[in-house]
Amino acid sequence: MDFKEIESVYFLGIGGIGMSALVRYFLFLGKKVAGYDRTETELTQQLSNEGAHIHYADDVEAIPCFCKNPANVLVVVTPAVPEDLSEYRFFQQQHFHMMKRAQALGEITRVHKSLCIAGTHGKTTTASMTAHLFKQSATDCNAFLGGILKNYDTNLLLSNRSDFTIVEADEYDRSFHSLLPYMAVITSADPDHLDIYKTEAAYYESFAHFTSLIKQDGALVMKKSIPVAPRVSPDIPIYMYSEKEGDFHAENICIGNGEIVFDFVTPGGKIEHIQLGVPVRINIENAVAAMALGWLNGIPADDMRCAMATFQGAKRRFDLRLRTEKLVLIDDYAHHPDELRASILSVRELYAGRKLTGIFQPHLYSRTRDFVGEFAASLSLLDELVLLDIYPARETPIPGVTSEIIFDKVTIQEKTLLKKEELLQYIENK
């Protein structure tokens, strides 16, 4: 679809982090933008201030007049929106042109050199690092990200002079199958979203299909040893990476005094003294993947050094919110057992010898059900656990699935089960 032909865009589920980047993109193009979300948030307030018309009740009458002509309106829908929503039914019955968020993003990737970063975890940080790397160089870029970059205080970066677009490729609902990557990265493939995929084999197959979408002159950069069999064309190169092995990797890693420094090894030589602006071990691999894309697209070594050192991270991705002699507070979005384990071990390494307390809210009933043992094992790496009730997001409750099934399997002695509304009082009392 040619976006030049549309005058207005209406978003169902406008407040999602991925949707908000598209909202800002269409506002940038000069389109009239409106939308519905069931909850008002700081993000929806920002979008309203930027020019979007937003309401919070499912009401066809609340749809602005400029979004009621099927001939010139595009409706973008998030997968989390139920099809029995009255506004959804209105647009469907009136034969509006409707797209999922990923399909709209896919149209953008078709006309740009798109660098698409996929993976169960690591994709937001890696995509954010890549975007910062390109933005800080003469190459420049556009970027659609799943987190707010602290360097720019936004999840959308725009350029009038660059053909590169950095995209976070989401595997939920097979969304990333709508993209057309010039180059792609796969950071990890640990089974998730089994409410959608049902089996681990289907999850791996979805990533394999994603690799088959890479353009003929592109490349695949893939984490070494992940269980995905790429299906790229024979003339598309595949590069492997990891922390210490592969076509791209790190060596001479030095961790201490709150800093991480290493040398970046490429197929064409070594770039020495890379310092991480967000110095946690899990970011070594993220940086290697981001710099691999930079190296493949000709970004100079000095630009890479500068970008990695000045990268402040994405909000809620190992986000240091408070740091005093007595207390360090880190906000992290880890919501898969392997992400939790990596975050906890990174904190252990960075703050050796300190007591580590984790406050964790499980995300989704289905994920809690599918990974109860894995969650308990990861959370048992803490010294103390405060476990909250499940955040349902798009899901309805599943009988018998509560935070308590994780809590009962956690092996540490210091553990507490709370409702979210009890948390602040609990912390104050301690």
Side-chain angles (χ1 to χ4, degrees), residues 82-249:
E83 293 186 7
D84 61 355
L85 198 77
S86 62
E87 292 189 24
Y88 183 98
R89 291 201 305 270
F90 166 77
F91 288 118
Q92 196 174 48
Q93 290 166 1
Q94 298 300 316
H95 305 293
F96 278 75
H97 194 110
M98 301 177 72
M99 280 186 175
K100 290 184 177 181
R101 179 188 68 86
Q103 291 172 317
L105 198 55
E107 292 300 311
I108 297 168
T109 65
R110 292 176 194 281
V111 295
H112 286 239
K113 278 188 169 180
S114 298
L115 310 178
C116 301
I117 292 88
T120 315
H121 33 260
K123 59 179 173 287
T124 296
T125 300
T126 303
S128 300
M129 280 182 169
T130 306
H132 181 62
L133 175 60
F134 276 68
K135 203 72 183 171
Q136 293 299 301
S137 75
T139 307
D140 204 359
C141 71
N142 304 278
F144 294 81
L145 303 167
I148 304 296
L149 270 71
K150 294 169 74 173
N151 292 79
Y152 308 94
D153 198 31
T154 183
N155 57 343
L156 173 69
L157 302 179
L158 295 168
S159 170
N160 288 317
R161 61 187 179 87
S162 178
D163 193 34
F164 285 97
T165 294
I166 317 299
V167 174
E168 186 174 328
D170 187 4
E171 79 276 14
Y172 174 69
D173 197 32
R174 297 178 173 84
S175 293
F176 59 173
H177 292 176
S178 297
L179 306 178
L180 190 63
Y182 166 58
M183 292 185 182
V185 169
I186 301 179
T187 63
S188 52
D190 300 311
D192 195 7
H193 304 301
L194 296 183
D195 55 323
I196 300 292
Y197 288 102
K198 308 305 180 188
T199 67
E200 293 185 3
Y203 189 77
Y204 298 142
E205 164 58 27
S206 188
F207 278 89
H209 179 73
F210 170 68
T211 68
S212 74
L213 305 174
I214 297 171
K215 294 178 181 178
Q216 284 300 317
D217 56 345
L220 172 64
V221 179
M222 194 164 96
K223 169 78 178 293
K224 189 176 173 66
S225 78
I226 64 173
V228 171
R231 290 215 303 270
V232 299
S233 298
D235 53 341
I236 292 177
I238 300 174
Y239 299 93
M240 294 295 178
Y241 81 94
S242 70
E243 181 182 309
K244 296 179 180 178
E245 294 181 287
D247 302 298
F248 297 97
H249 64 273

Side-chain angles (χ1 to χ4, degrees), residues 7-29:
E7 295 178 7
S8 306
V9 188
Y10 191 84
F11 288 83
L12 285 171
I14 195 169
I17 189 68
M19 293 282 269
S20 65
L22 281 174
V23 172
R24 288 168 165 150
Y25 174 73
F26 283 113
L27 287 170
F28 171 75
L29 293 182

Side-chain angles (χ1 to χ4, degrees), residues 3 29 46 67 77 124 161 211 244 258 262 277 380 409:
F3 291 150
L29 293 182
Q46 290 172 356
C67 286
V77 185
T124 296
R161 61 187 179 87
T211 68
K244 296 179 180 178
F262 60 89
S380 296
K409 291 180 178 292

Side-chain angles (χ1 to χ4, degrees), residues 20 22 44 50 59 61 115 153 186 235-236 240 249 262 268 270 272 278 303 322-323 330 363 389 397 410:
S20 65
L22 281 174
T44 60
E50 292 167 28
D59 181 4
E61 295 301 316
L115 310 178
D153 198 31
I186 301 179
D235 53 341
I236 292 177
M240 294 295 178
H249 64 273
F262 60 89
K270 187 187 300 184
E272 296 180 338
V278 183
D303 287 348
L322 179 68
R323 182 160 40 183
I330 299 169
H363 184 268
D389 43 340
V410 171

